[in-house]
């Protein structure tokens, strides 16, 4: 079955933003929190990162109402050195912590060329690319990392140890949308497996495993994910996942992912203590900005002019996302059948104006 066969309807991204903010308001989130969450979820959905977009709203509402996430946190930043800081998210939304951390890291980078912020006492922050992108939109190089509870096998193991532990990197490109890499260190994010399970869609081969470590394409049977590299070369993804863990949890003095409470519950009242790490660099601190822009433009031109294999197109990181964003701004963001039903239920639960389906 094609992806279009799982699509139930489409919605305008502005209406989606409105709905998310109103739902979060009804559930007890303050203005700063709901604006950050709505921005991140709509950005991800527009770019086609459907596993970390609108489908997460029901989970966030449950975590908010259960008390796991504070609706009105008081994040605080402690400046350590000229280019380093630690942000205590006060058990609020990870999206708010992420955007606040990037804002502070950009400020430091403007002063000393580089800014690094470790974040503790946070929660799930959605798509890591949203925060790297926020730095690139201000002319900076941005990186974002986050740990999570264990979904991913170590290479050769039967039991999950690392989270999907994403890596995101963005760079400003003169006159174009930014270069944007956003990847899990697992073959796919767990949210995508959950999405496929909800609609009965089979998974690709060599990305997920059952409880005994055997690979499977049935999303409903998945116990763990394989790291990048799959069954044969998963030591590469496992190593990257470990690097993200050290940056995210260790620097922020948080427990590592194997000891985190599960994102999916059943405990929705105890804060999880997720860690993030953000790094921002000013390219002008290393060379003249004009030289950086020229070299990056040369690199991207050479990359895109490489001869593709038949039926393929050579793309730079971010090209597919920006194409998807432009299309979805015109045609709407797709909801599958499970998501459409969930959003209708949310509208009824909080007496909201439902999404207008296209």
């Amino acid at each position: 079955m094609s992806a279009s066969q799982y699509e139930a309807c489409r919605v305008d991204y502005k209406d989606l933003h409105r709905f998310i903010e109103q739902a979060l308001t009804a559930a007890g989130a303050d203005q700063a929190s709901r604006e950050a969450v709505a921005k991140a979820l709509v950005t991800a959905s527009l770019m086609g990162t459907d596993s970390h977009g609108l489908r997460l709203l029901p989970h966030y509402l449950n975590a908010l109402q259960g008390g796991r996430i504070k609706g009105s946190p008081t994040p605080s930043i402690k400046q350590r050195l000229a280019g380093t800081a630690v942000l205590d998210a006060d058990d609020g939304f990870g999206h708010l912590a992420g955007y606040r951390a990037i804002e502070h890291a950009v400020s430091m980078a403007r002063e000393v060329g580089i800014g690094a912020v470790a974040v503790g006492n946070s929660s799930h922050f959605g798509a890591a690319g949203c925060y790297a992108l926020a730095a690139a939109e201000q002319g900076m190089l941005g990186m974002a990392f986050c740990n999570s509870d264990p979904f991913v096998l170590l290479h050769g193991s039967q039991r999950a140890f690392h989270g999907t532990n994403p890596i995101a990197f963005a760079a400003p490109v003169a006159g174009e949308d930014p270069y944007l890499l956003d990847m899990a260190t697992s073959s796919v994010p767990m949210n995508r497996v959950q999405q496929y399970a909800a609609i009965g869609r089979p998974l690709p081969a060599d990305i997920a495993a059952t409880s005994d470590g055997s690979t499977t394409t049935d999303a409903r049977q998945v116990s763990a994910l394989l790291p990048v590299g799959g069954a044969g070369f998963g030591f590469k993804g496992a190593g990257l996942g470990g690097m993200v863990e050290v940056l995210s949890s260790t620097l922020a003095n948080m427990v590592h992912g194997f000891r985190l409470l599960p994102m999916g519950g059943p405990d929705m009242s105890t804060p999880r203590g997720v860690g993030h790490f953000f790094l921002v660099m000013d390219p002008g601190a290393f060379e003249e900005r004009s030289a950086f822009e020229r070299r990056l433009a040369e690199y991207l031109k050479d990359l895109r002019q490489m001869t593709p294999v038949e039926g393929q197109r050579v793309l730079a990181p971010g090209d597919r996302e920006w194409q998807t964003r432009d299309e979805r701004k015109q045609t709407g963001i797709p909801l599958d059948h499970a998501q459409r039903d969930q959003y209708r239920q949310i509208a009824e639960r909080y007496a909201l104006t439902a999404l207008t389906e296209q």
Side-chain angles (χ1 to χ4, degrees):
M1 296 175 69
S2 66
S4 61
Q5 291 174 282
Y6 297 96
E7 184 178 311
C9 65
R10 287 183 175 246
V11 296
D12 180 77
Y13 73 98
K14 294 180 181 177
D15 193 35
L16 176 62
H17 195 285
R18 181 272 308 171
F19 185 92
I20 291 173
E21 281 212 41
Q22 290 181 349
L24 289 165
T25 299
D30 62 18
Q31 181 176 353
S33 297
R34 63 180 181 258
E35 287 179 351
V37 176
K39 178 181 178 180
L41 294 190
V42 173
T43 296
S45 286
L46 278 174
M47 293 193 299
T49 312
D50 294 318
S51 59
H52 284 65
L54 61 87
R55 70 169 299 276
L56 289 171
L57 178 62
H59 168 77
Y60 293 148
L61 293 173
N62 289 338
L64 182 61
Q65 293 216 302
R68 167 187 282 183
I69 296 175
K70 290 183 181 179
S72 298
T74 306
S76 59
I77 295 178
K78 179 183 292 185
Q79 187 79 31
R80 301 288 295 182
L81 296 171
T84 63
V86 176
L87 187 152
D88 185 330
D90 192 32
D91 300 320
F93 278 105
H95 318 71
L96 177 62
Y99 284 124
R100 289 276 177 89
I102 282 291
E103 180 183 345
H104 191 74
V106 167
S107 177
M108 290 189 291
R110 294 197 191 284
E111 291 292 324
V112 298
I114 192 167
V117 179
V119 177
N121 295 314
S122 190
S123 61
H124 191 265
F125 71 0
C130 293
Y131 312 103
L133 177 62
E137 290 173 340
Q138 298 185 66
M140 302 287 178
L141 302 173
M143 299 190 75
F145 308 87
C146 180
N147 76 330
S148 66
D149 49 312
F151 291 130
V152 186
L153 299 178
L154 292 174
H155 185 60
S157 74
Q158 289 187 3
R159 187 179 179 189
F161 183 74
H162 287 139
T164 53
N165 292 15
I167 298 171
F169 170 75
V173 181
E176 299 181 28
D177 288 308
Y179 178 103
L180 176 62
L181 170 70
D182 186 358
M183 58 170 282
T185 52
S186 56
S187 295
V188 295
M190 181 57 84
N191 285 331
R192 184 169 301 173
V193 174
Q194 293 168 342
Q195 179 185 17
Y196 278 34
I199 59 178
R201 183 176 180 180
L203 295 167
D206 202 32
I207 65 170
T210 59
S211 58
D212 65 357
S214 302
T215 59
T216 182
T217 59
D218 185 345
R220 295 165 298 184
Q221 300 298 318
V222 170
S223 175
L225 303 173
L226 297 182
V228 167
F233 298 93
F235 55 87
K236 297 183 178 183
L240 289 173
M243 177 195 74
V244 173
E245 189 67 61
V246 172
L247 291 172
S248 300
S249 62
T250 310
L251 284 180
N253 196 27
M254 295 286 102
V255 298
H256 66 81
F258 185 71
R259 298 181 180 276
L260 281 175
L261 287 174
M263 177 179 173
D267 183 350
M268 283 291 171
S269 62
T270 306
R272 297 175 66 224
V274 175
H276 319 304
F277 180 73
F278 303 94
L279 179 64
V280 172
M281 295 169 283
D282 182 357
F286 297 86
E287 61 179 347
E288 291 296 326
R289 184 173 289 273
S290 59
F292 168 81
E293 292 175 350
R294 182 176 66 254
R295 294 300 184 193
L296 182 54
E298 291 172 353
Y299 164 72
L300 292 174
K301 180 180 179 181
D302 288 343
L303 184 156
R304 292 175 177 133
Q305 288 182 344
M306 294 299 291
T307 303
V309 298
E310 185 176 354
Q312 298 292 319
R313 179 185 170 198
V314 177
L315 299 172
D319 286 354
R320 182 177 287 107
E321 285 82 353
W322 307 135
Q323 179 180 338
T324 301
R325 176 203 60 192
D326 293 343
E327 291 173 352
R328 290 186 173 186
K329 281 189 173 182
Q330 295 298 318
T331 64
I333 294 173
L335 278 70
D336 62 40
H337 294 277
Q339 293 161 357
R340 180 190 61 185
D341 292 344
Q342 287 177 323
Y343 270 69
R344 288 176 174 175
Q345 292 166 7
I346 291 170
E348 293 176 0
R349 178 181 179 185
Y350 294 109
L352 305 176
T353 300
L355 288 169
T356 300
E357 299 179 6
Q358 299 179 350

